[in-house]
Amino acid sequence: QLQVVQSGAEVKKPGASVKFSCKASGSTFSGYYVHWVRQAPGQGLEWMGIIKPSGGATSYAQKFQSRLTMTSDSSASTVYMELSSLRSEDTAIYFCARGQFGYSSGPWGQGSLLTVSS
Amino acid sequence: DIQLTQSPSSLSASVGDRITITCRASQGIRNSLAWYQQRPGKAPSLLLFATYTLADGVPARFSGSGSGTDYTLTISNLQPEDFATYYCQQYYSTPGRTFGQGTKVDIK
């Protein structure tokens, strides 16, 4: 049974970069996509982008095009999401989830909290 | 990007009630709509995709309908575990798979 495990919380200063990992446990992401979604405190969900771990094809929301990079390892068991030029508005919980091309069918990771503060 | 507007933003209901949440898209999305449930402090989970299709393990009291720009999520016989926030998401327009702003369902 696949479980998705995300890396821990991070605190960063404005202008810095952060890189979160998302690991498949019990299986791999092979044959699926991985979506990244974030949620600012008390706010709704915001879709950021998608990666196909087998092959590494990516697609990002236009809002994040210039500062978002998603990668995967060769075994398709771990994907990474790097966000650069951080600002306070990037403070949020970042979720990854296995899915189809269009939607996140799950399972979801537990979320990784990013705090951006000077 | 396609915008999704959910209504209402919040509602209060009782166990056993039937409730409906609406999701309106700024342009037609050809049934490319999913619904998610998020309980406090938890990750979202998929309820339905392609407007009508229940995700694995989702109880039949959840149902979806709609076409064009207007879609609904209906929960019949509301159960205590259904008090949560619900989000619609369109995946007709890529890359941006936008979410609605959410509808919080709480206990009356």
Side-chain angles (χ1 to χ4, degrees):
Chain A
Q1 175 113 0
L2 176 71
Q3 287 188 308
V4 177
V5 181
Q6 296 185 233
S7 51
E10 299 268 9
V11 179
K12 296 291 183 182
K13 293 191 182 304
S17 298
V18 69
K19 189 171 186 177
F20 287 123
S21 67
C22 172
K23 181 175 174 58
S25 176
S27 183
T28 71
F29 292 122
S30 182
Y32 291 89
Y33 294 82
V34 175
H35 297 252
W36 286 88
V37 173
R38 75 178 186 179
Q39 186 168 39
Q43 302 301 308
L45 304 174
E46 181 173 30
W47 187 84
M48 299 181 70
I50 188 173
I51 182 169
K52 189 166 189 183
S54 301
T58 59
S59 181
Y60 305 143
Q62 191 166 4
K63 173 179 179 178
F64 300 104
Q65 283 279 355
S66 62
R67 60 190 189 105
L68 178 61
T69 304
M70 295 181 185
T71 55
S72 62
D73 70 5
S74 58
S75 68
S77 65
T78 303
V79 300
Y80 303 90
M81 186 280 293
E82 184 171 20
L83 189 63
S84 63
S85 303
L86 293 172
R87 34 218 189 223
S88 58
E89 310 89 87
D90 294 318
T91 293
I93 298 173
Y94 290 75
F95 294 102
C96 66
R98 188 183 73 170
Q100 310 302 321
F101 179 69
Y103 54 89
S104 305
S105 47
W108 291 64
Q110 80 278 17
S112 298
L113 175 63
L114 170 65
T115 303
V116 182
S117 174
S118 54
Chain B
D1 280 358
I2 295 176
Q3 307 302 315
L4 296 180
T5 303
Q6 288 183 233
S7 60
S9 297
S10 64
L11 66 90
S12 296
S14 301
V15 173
D17 283 354
R18 180 175 185 265
I19 65 168
T20 297
I21 298 168
T22 297
C23 179
R24 173 165 289 175
S26 57
Q27 64 188 76
I29 57 173
R30 294 197 174 191
N31 293 113
S32 299
L33 190 87
W35 290 94
Y36 299 85
Q37 177 191 67
Q38 187 179 32
R39 298 188 177 109
K42 301 295 186 182
S45 62
L46 180 68
L47 293 174
L48 300 105
F49 60 94
T51 300
Y52 313 101
T53 306
L54 283 175
D56 289 346
V58 175
R61 63 179 180 274
F62 292 89
S63 63
S65 65
S67 64
T69 60
D70 295 328
Y71 299 83
T72 60
L73 170 69
T74 299
I75 311 173
S76 303
N77 188 22
L78 203 63
Q79 295 298 297
E81 60 268 29
D82 300 336
F83 292 97
T85 301
Y86 294 86
Y87 295 91
C88 57
Q89 182 196 30
Q90 68 82 22
Y91 51 94
Y92 176 72
S93 169
T94 59
R97 295 156 176 75
T98 44
F99 286 96
Q101 82 277 17
T103 296
K104 184 177 181 181
V105 177
D106 60 24
I107 300 173
K108 186 184 291 183

